[in-house]
Amino acid sequence: QVQLVESGGGLVQAGGSLRLSCAASGRTYSNYAMGWFRQAPGKERDFVAAITWSGGSTYYASSVKGRFTISRANAENTVYLLMNILKPEDTAVYYCAARYHTGSYYLADEYDFWGQGTQVTVSS
């Protein structure tokens, strides 16, 4: 089992920045690919970004590419999501997820463990 706890959400004006953190504990964290997803009210949970266990490859949704950066610090058992140039449409609950097996980085169903989520609200 892996336990994930997100932090860093909040209220920010459009054009601003936030950095989300996801602290992992439990089973060997460094063996997991990690992802960030988000869910706005009344909508499905959407892929945002993912990073391989080594940190050597990253993947982004087209809506955030160039604005968001995912990174990980395995020594600290933490994955980050730096969000720049935030837009009102980025408003959502952001979830951290871990995946132990191979598969698509973009599909929520491929992830094995989830955090409780952190709210990000971007005002216009």
Side-chain angles (χ1 to χ4, degrees):
Q1 291 289 329
V2 173
Q3 291 77 45
L4 304 172
V5 178
E6 302 96 334
S7 61
L11 174 64
V12 63
Q13 288 188 334
S17 299
L18 281 175
R19 189 180 77 159
L20 305 183
S21 299
C22 174
S25 61
R27 194 173 172 184
T28 309
Y29 160 78
S30 60
N31 291 341
Y32 289 87
M34 301 295 296
W36 286 95
F37 288 76
R38 66 187 182 186
Q39 188 167 20
K43 295 188 176 181
E44 294 185 350
R45 191 169 295 189
D46 292 331
F47 170 78
V48 175
I51 188 167
T52 55
W53 69 269
S54 67
S57 295
T58 56
Y59 307 85
Y60 296 95
S62 57
S63 58
V64 307
K65 197 168 187 178
R67 300 188 296 122
F68 291 10
T69 303
I70 188 171
S71 61
R72 67 190 296 165
N74 286 348
E76 300 170 1
N77 292 340
T78 303
V79 63
Y80 303 97
L81 184 68
L82 176 61
M83 305 184 295
N84 293 323
I85 318 175
L86 282 161
K87 304 175 181 180
E89 51 264 42
D90 294 319
T91 296
V93 177
Y94 282 71
Y95 296 90
C96 172
R99 198 194 72 196
Y100 190 64
H101 61 275
T102 57
S104 171
Y105 290 98
Y106 301 92
L107 300 178
D109 288 346
E110 296 286 339
Y111 287 77
D112 302 298
F113 305 103
W114 291 84
Q116 83 290 347
T118 185
Q119 176 71 47
V120 171
T121 303
V122 184
S123 63
S124 57

